[in-house]
Coordinates of all heavy atoms in Angstrom, one line a residue:
M141 N 83.1 104.3 94.7 CA 83.8 105.6 94.8 C 83.0 106.6 93.9 O 82.9 106.4 92.7 CB 85.2 105.5 94.5 CG 86.0 106.8 94.6 SD 87.8 106.6 94.2 CE 88.3 105.4 95.4
A142 N 82.5 107.7 94.5 CA 81.8 108.7 93.7 C 82.7 109.4 92.8 O 83.8 109.7 93.1 CB 81.0 109.6 94.6
E143 N 82.2 109.8 91.6 CA 83.0 110.5 90.6 C 83.4 111.9 91.1 O 84.4 112.4 90.7 CB 82.2 110.6 89.3 CG 82.1 109.2 88.6 CD 83.5 108.7 88.2 OE1 84.3 109.4 87.7 OE2 83.6 107.4 88.3
N144 N 82.5 112.6 91.9 CA 82.8 113.9 92.3 C 83.7 114.1 93.5 O 84.1 115.1 93.8 CB 81.5 114.7 92.5 CG 80.6 114.1 93.6 OD1 81.0 113.0 94.1 ND2 79.5 114.7 93.9
Q145 N 84.1 112.9 94.1 CA 85.0 113.0 95.2 C 86.4 113.0 94.7 O 86.7 112.5 93.6 CB 84.9 111.7 96.1 CG 83.6 111.7 96.9 CD 83.6 110.4 97.8 OE1 84.1 109.4 97.3 NE2 83.1 110.5 98.9
E146 N 87.3 113.7 95.5 CA 88.7 113.7 95.2 C 89.2 112.2 95.3 O 88.9 111.5 96.2 CB 89.5 114.6 96.1 CG 90.9 114.8 95.7 CD 91.6 115.8 96.6 OE1 91.0 116.8 96.9 OE2 92.8 115.6 96.9
F147 N 90.1 111.8 94.4 CA 90.6 110.5 94.3 C 91.5 110.3 95.6 O 92.4 111.1 95.8 CB 91.4 110.2 93.1 CG 91.9 108.8 92.9 CD1 91.1 107.8 92.6 CD2 93.3 108.5 93.2 CE1 91.5 106.5 92.5 CE2 93.7 107.2 93.1 CZ 92.8 106.2 92.8
N148 N 91.3 109.2 96.3 CA 92.1 108.8 97.4 C 92.8 107.5 97.2 O 92.1 106.5 97.1 CB 91.2 108.7 98.7 CG 92.0 108.4 99.9 OD1 92.9 107.7 99.9 ND2 91.5 109.0 101.0
I149 N 94.1 107.6 96.9 CA 94.8 106.3 96.5 C 94.8 105.3 97.6 O 94.7 104.1 97.4 CB 96.2 106.7 96.0 CG1 96.8 105.4 95.3 CG2 97.1 107.1 97.1 CD1 97.8 105.7 94.3
D150 N 94.9 105.8 98.9 CA 94.9 104.8 100.0 C 93.6 104.0 100.0 O 93.6 102.8 100.2 CB 95.1 105.5 101.3 CG 96.5 106.1 101.4 OD1 97.5 105.4 100.9 OD2 96.7 107.2 102.0
E151 N 92.5 104.7 99.8 CA 91.2 104.1 99.8 C 91.1 103.1 98.6 O 90.6 102.0 98.8 CB 90.1 105.1 99.7 CG 88.7 104.6 99.7 CD 87.6 105.7 99.6 OE1 87.7 106.7 100.3 OE2 86.7 105.5 98.8
A152 N 91.6 103.5 97.5 CA 91.5 102.7 96.3 C 92.3 101.4 96.5 O 91.9 100.4 96.1 CB 92.0 103.5 95.1
L153 N 93.5 101.6 97.1 CA 94.4 100.4 97.3 C 93.7 99.4 98.3 O 93.8 98.2 98.1 CB 95.7 100.8 97.8 CG 96.6 101.5 96.7 CD1 97.9 102.1 97.4 CD2 96.9 100.6 95.6
N154 N 93.0 100.0 99.3 CA 92.3 99.1 100.2 C 91.1 98.4 99.5 O 90.9 97.2 99.8 CB 91.7 100.0 101.4 CG 92.8 100.4 102.4 OD1 93.9 99.7 102.5 ND2 92.6 101.5 103.1
Q155 N 90.5 99.1 98.6 CA 89.4 98.5 97.9 C 89.9 97.4 97.0 O 89.3 96.3 96.9 CB 88.6 99.5 97.0 CG 87.8 100.5 97.8 CD 87.1 101.5 96.9 OE1 87.6 101.9 95.9 NE2 86.0 102.1 97.4
L156 N 91.1 97.6 96.4 CA 91.7 96.6 95.5 C 92.1 95.3 96.4 O 91.9 94.2 95.9 CB 93.0 97.1 94.9 CG 92.7 98.0 93.6 CD1 94.0 98.6 93.2 CD2 92.1 97.2 92.5
E157 N 92.6 95.6 97.6 CA 92.9 94.5 98.5 C 91.6 93.7 98.8 O 91.6 92.4 98.8 CB 93.5 95.0 99.8 CG 94.1 93.9 100.7 CD 94.8 94.5 101.8 OE1 95.4 95.6 101.7 OE2 94.9 93.8 102.9
E158 N 90.5 94.4 99.1 CA 89.3 93.7 99.4 C 88.8 92.9 98.2 O 88.3 91.8 98.3 CB 88.2 94.7 99.8 CG 88.4 95.2 101.2 CD 88.4 94.1 102.3 OE1 87.5 93.2 102.2 OE2 89.3 94.1 103.1
I159 N 88.9 93.5 97.0 CA 88.5 92.8 95.8 C 89.3 91.5 95.6 O 88.8 90.4 95.3 CB 88.6 93.7 94.5 CG1 87.5 94.8 94.6 CG2 88.6 92.9 93.2 CD1 87.7 95.9 93.6
N160 N 90.6 91.6 95.8 CA 91.5 90.5 95.7 C 91.1 89.4 96.7 O 91.0 88.2 96.3 CB 92.9 90.9 96.0 CG 93.9 89.8 95.7 OD1 93.8 89.1 94.6 ND2 94.9 89.6 96.5
K161 N 90.7 89.7 97.9 CA 90.3 88.7 98.9 C 89.0 88.0 98.4 O 88.9 86.8 98.5 CB 90.0 89.4 100.2 CG 91.3 89.7 101.0 CD 91.0 90.4 102.3 CE 92.2 90.9 103.0 NZ 91.9 91.6 104.2
K162 N 88.1 88.8 97.9 CA 86.8 88.3 97.4 C 87.0 87.4 96.2 O 86.4 86.3 96.1 CB 85.8 89.4 97.0 CG 85.3 90.1 98.2 CD 84.4 91.3 97.8 CE 83.9 92.1 99.0 NZ 83.1 93.3 98.6
L163 N 87.9 87.8 95.3 CA 88.2 86.9 94.1 C 88.9 85.6 94.5 O 88.8 84.6 93.8 CB 89.1 87.7 93.1 CG 88.4 88.8 92.3 CD1 89.4 89.6 91.5 CD2 87.3 88.2 91.4
S164 N 89.6 85.6 95.6 CA 90.3 84.4 96.1 C 89.3 83.4 96.8 O 89.7 82.3 97.0 CB 91.4 84.8 97.1 OG 92.3 85.6 96.5
A165 N 88.1 83.8 97.1 CA 87.1 82.9 97.7 C 86.8 81.8 96.8 O 86.6 82.0 95.6 CB 85.9 83.7 98.1
K166 N 86.6 80.6 97.4 CA 86.3 79.4 96.5 C 84.9 79.4 96.1 O 84.6 78.7 95.1 CB 86.7 78.2 97.3 CG 88.2 78.1 97.6 CD 88.5 76.9 98.3 CE 90.0 76.9 98.6 NZ 90.7 75.7 99.0
D167 N 84.0 80.1 96.8 CA 82.6 79.9 96.5 C 82.0 81.1 95.7 O 80.8 81.3 95.6 CB 81.8 79.8 97.8 CG 81.9 81.0 98.7 OD1 82.9 81.8 98.5 OD2 81.1 81.1 99.7
I168 N 82.9 81.9 95.0 CA 82.4 83.1 94.3 C 81.9 82.6 92.9 O 82.5 81.7 92.3 CB 83.6 84.1 94.1 CG1 83.0 85.4 93.5 CG2 84.7 83.6 93.3 CD1 84.0 86.6 93.6
S169 N 80.8 83.2 92.5 CA 80.3 82.8 91.2 C 81.1 83.5 90.0 O 81.8 84.5 90.2 CB 78.8 83.3 91.1 OG 78.7 84.7 91.0
L170 N 80.9 83.0 88.9 CA 81.6 83.5 87.7 C 81.1 84.9 87.4 O 82.0 85.8 87.2 CB 81.3 82.6 86.5 CG 82.0 83.1 85.2 CD1 83.5 83.2 85.3 CD2 81.6 82.2 84.0
D171 N 79.8 85.2 87.5 CA 79.3 86.6 87.3 C 79.9 87.6 88.3 O 80.3 88.7 87.9 CB 77.8 86.6 87.4 CG 77.1 86.0 86.2 OD1 77.8 85.9 85.1 OD2 76.0 85.6 86.3
D172 N 80.0 87.2 89.6 CA 80.6 88.0 90.6 C 82.1 88.2 90.4 O 82.6 89.3 90.5 CB 80.3 87.5 92.0 CG 78.9 87.6 92.5 OD1 78.1 88.4 91.9 OD2 78.5 86.9 93.4
S173 N 82.7 87.2 89.9 CA 84.2 87.3 89.6 C 84.4 88.3 88.5 O 85.3 89.1 88.6 CB 84.7 85.9 89.2 OG 84.7 85.0 90.2
I174 N 83.6 88.2 87.5 CA 83.7 89.2 86.4 C 83.5 90.6 86.8 O 84.3 91.5 86.4 CB 82.8 88.8 85.2 CG1 83.3 87.4 84.6 CG2 82.8 89.9 84.1 CD1 82.3 86.8 83.6
K175 N 82.5 90.8 87.6 CA 82.2 92.2 88.1 C 83.3 92.7 88.9 O 83.7 93.8 88.8 CB 80.8 92.2 88.9 CG 79.6 92.0 88.0 CD 78.4 91.9 88.9 CE 77.2 91.5 88.1 NZ 76.0 91.2 88.9
L176 N 83.8 91.9 89.9 CA 84.9 92.3 90.7 C 86.2 92.5 89.9 O 86.9 93.5 90.2 CB 85.1 91.3 91.8 CG 84.1 91.2 92.9 CD1 84.3 90.0 93.8 CD2 84.2 92.5 93.8
Y177 N 86.4 91.7 89.0 CA 87.6 91.9 88.1 C 87.5 93.2 87.4 O 88.5 94.0 87.3 CB 87.8 90.7 87.1 CG 89.0 90.8 86.3 CD1 90.2 90.5 86.7 CD2 88.9 91.3 85.0 CE1 91.4 90.6 85.9 CE2 90.0 91.5 84.2 CZ 91.2 91.1 84.6 OH 92.3 91.2 83.8
N178 N 86.4 93.5 86.8 CA 86.2 94.7 86.1 C 86.4 95.9 87.0 O 87.1 96.9 86.7 CB 84.8 94.8 85.5 CG 84.6 96.0 84.6 OD1 85.4 96.3 83.8 ND2 83.5 96.6 84.8
E179 N 85.8 95.9 88.2 CA 85.9 96.9 89.2 C 87.4 97.1 89.6 O 87.9 98.2 89.7 CB 85.1 96.6 90.4 CG 85.1 97.7 91.5 CD 84.3 97.3 92.7 OE1 83.4 96.4 92.6 OE2 84.5 97.9 93.8
G180 N 88.1 96.0 89.7 CA 89.5 96.0 90.1 C 90.4 96.7 89.0 O 91.3 97.4 89.3
T181 N 90.1 96.3 87.8 CA 90.9 96.9 86.7 C 90.7 98.4 86.5 O 91.6 99.1 86.3 CB 90.6 96.2 85.3 OG1 89.3 96.3 85.0 CG2 91.1 94.7 85.4
I182 N 89.5 98.8 86.8 CA 89.2 100.3 86.7 C 89.9 101.0 87.9 O 90.6 102.0 87.6 CB 87.7 100.5 86.8 CG1 87.0 100.1 85.5 CG2 87.4 102.0 87.1 CD1 85.5 100.0 85.6
L183 N 89.9 100.4 89.1 CA 90.6 101.0 90.2 C 92.1 101.0 90.0 O 92.8 102.0 90.3 CB 90.3 100.2 91.5 CG 89.0 100.7 92.2 CD1 88.8 99.7 93.4 CD2 89.2 102.1 92.8
A184 N 92.6 99.9 89.5 CA 94.1 99.8 89.2 C 94.5 100.9 88.2 O 95.6 101.5 88.3 CB 94.4 98.4 88.7
T185 N 93.7 101.1 87.2 CA 94.0 102.1 86.2 C 94.0 103.5 86.8 O 94.9 104.3 86.5 CB 93.0 102.0 85.0 OG1 93.1 100.8 84.4 CG2 93.3 103.1 84.0
K186 N 93.0 103.8 87.6 CA 93.0 105.1 88.3 C 94.2 105.3 89.2 O 94.7 106.4 89.3 CB 91.7 105.2 89.1 CG 90.4 105.4 88.2 CD 89.2 105.6 89.1 CE 88.0 105.8 88.2 NZ 86.8 106.0 89.0
C187 N 94.6 104.2 89.9 CA 95.8 104.3 90.8 C 97.0 104.6 89.9 O 97.8 105.5 90.3 CB 96.0 103.0 91.5 SG 94.8 102.7 92.9
Q188 N 97.1 103.9 88.8 CA 98.3 104.1 88.0 C 98.3 105.6 87.4 O 99.4 106.2 87.4 CB 98.3 103.1 86.8 CG 99.5 103.3 85.9 CD 99.5 102.2 84.8 OE1 98.5 101.6 84.5 NE2 100.6 102.0 84.2
E189 N 97.2 106.1 87.0 CA 97.1 107.4 86.5 C 97.5 108.4 87.6 O 98.1 109.4 87.3 CB 95.7 107.7 85.9 CG 95.4 107.0 84.7 CD 94.0 107.1 84.2 OE1 93.1 107.6 85.0 OE2 93.6 106.6 83.1
H190 N 97.0 108.2 88.8 CA 97.2 109.1 89.9 C 98.7 109.1 90.2 O 99.3 110.2 90.4 CB 96.5 108.6 91.1 CG 96.7 109.5 92.3 ND1 96.1 110.7 92.5 CD2 97.5 109.3 93.4 CE1 96.5 111.2 93.7 NE2 97.3 110.4 94.2
L191 N 99.4 107.9 90.2 CA 100.8 107.9 90.5 C 101.6 108.5 89.4 O 102.6 109.2 89.8 CB 101.2 106.4 90.7 CG 100.6 105.8 92.0 CD1 101.0 104.3 92.0 CD2 101.1 106.5 93.3
V192 N 101.2 108.4 88.2 CA 101.9 109.1 87.1 C 101.8 110.6 87.3 O 102.8 111.4 87.2 CB 101.4 108.7 85.7 CG1 101.9 109.7 84.6 CG2 101.7 107.3 85.4
G193 N 100.7 111.1 87.7 CA 100.5 112.5 88.0 C 101.4 113.0 89.2 O 102.0 114.1 89.2
V194 N 101.4 112.2 90.2 CA 102.3 112.5 91.4 C 103.7 112.5 91.0 O 104.5 113.4 91.4 CB 102.0 111.5 92.5 CG1 103.1 111.6 93.6 CG2 100.6 111.6 93.1
E195 N 104.1 111.6 90.2 CA 105.5 111.6 89.7 C 105.9 112.8 88.9 O 106.9 113.4 89.1 CB 105.8 110.3 88.8 CG 107.2 110.2 88.4 CD 107.4 108.9 87.5 OE1 106.5 108.5 86.9 OE2 108.5 108.4 87.5
K196 N 104.9 113.3 88.0 CA 105.2 114.5 87.3 C 105.3 115.7 88.2 O 106.1 116.6 88.0 CB 104.1 114.7 86.3 CG 104.1 113.7 85.1 CD 103.0 114.0 84.1 CE 103.1 113.0 83.0 NZ 102.0 113.2 82.0
Q197 N 104.4 115.8 89.2 CA 104.5 116.8 90.2 C 105.9 116.9 90.9 O 106.5 117.9 91.1 CB 103.4 116.7 91.2 CG 102.0 117.1 90.7 CD 100.9 116.9 91.7 OE1 101.1 116.2 92.8 NE2 99.8 117.4 91.5
L198 N 106.3 115.7 91.3 CA 107.6 115.6 92.0 C 108.8 116.0 91.0 O 109.7 116.7 91.5 CB 107.9 114.2 92.5 CG 107.0 113.8 93.7 CD1 107.2 112.3 94.0 CD2 107.3 114.7 94.9
Q199 N 108.7 115.7 89.8 CA 109.7 116.1 88.8 C 109.7 117.6 88.7 O 110.8 118.2 88.6 CB 109.5 115.4 87.5 CG 109.8 113.9 87.5 CD 109.4 113.2 86.2 OE1 108.7 113.8 85.3 NE2 109.9 112.0 86.0
I200 N 108.5 118.2 88.6 CA 108.5 119.7 88.5 C 109.1 120.3 89.7 O 109.8 121.2 89.7 CB 107.0 120.1 88.3 CG1 106.5 119.7 86.9 CG2 106.9 121.6 88.5 CD1 105.1 119.8 86.6
I201 N 108.7 119.8 90.9 CA 109.2 120.3 92.2 C 110.7 120.2 92.2 O 111.4 121.1 92.7 CB 108.6 119.6 93.4 CG1 107.1 120.0 93.5 CG2 109.3 119.9 94.7 CD1 106.3 119.1 94.5
N202 N 111.3 119.1 91.7 CA 112.7 118.9 91.8 C 113.4 119.5 90.6 O 114.6 119.3 90.4 CB 113.0 117.4 91.9 CG 112.6 116.8 93.2 OD1 112.8 117.5 94.2 ND2 112.1 115.6 93.2
G203 N 112.7 120.2 89.7 CA 113.3 120.9 88.6 C 113.7 119.9 87.5 O 114.6 120.2 86.7
Q204 N 113.1 118.8 87.4 CA 113.4 117.7 86.4 C 112.3 117.5 85.4 O 112.2 116.4 84.8 CB 113.7 116.4 87.1 CG 114.8 116.5 88.1 CD 114.9 115.2 88.9 OE1 114.1 114.3 88.7 NE2 115.9 115.1 89.8
E205 N 111.6 118.6 85.1 CA 110.5 118.4 84.1 C 111.0 118.0 82.8 O 112.0 118.5 82.3 CB 109.8 119.8 84.0 CG 108.6 119.7 83.1 CD 107.8 121.0 83.1 OE1 108.2 122.0 83.7 OE2 106.7 121.0 82.5
S206 N 110.4 117.0 82.2 CA 110.8 116.5 80.9 C 110.0 116.9 79.8 O 108.9 117.3 79.9 CB 110.9 114.9 80.9 OG 109.7 114.4 81.5

């Protein structure tokens, strides 16, 4: 996912699903597992940050800003 593209949570969740499938493979090497795990944790963090931002926007829209 390029840094200059707008974040697409649906795409990120699909990528996480693919990473999970690859990590579940019995023939994956340790090095590949580590790379995929790292990529997955980065994507998961971005998804979490995005969802927190969406939640804040919804709170503002609903007049519940904290």
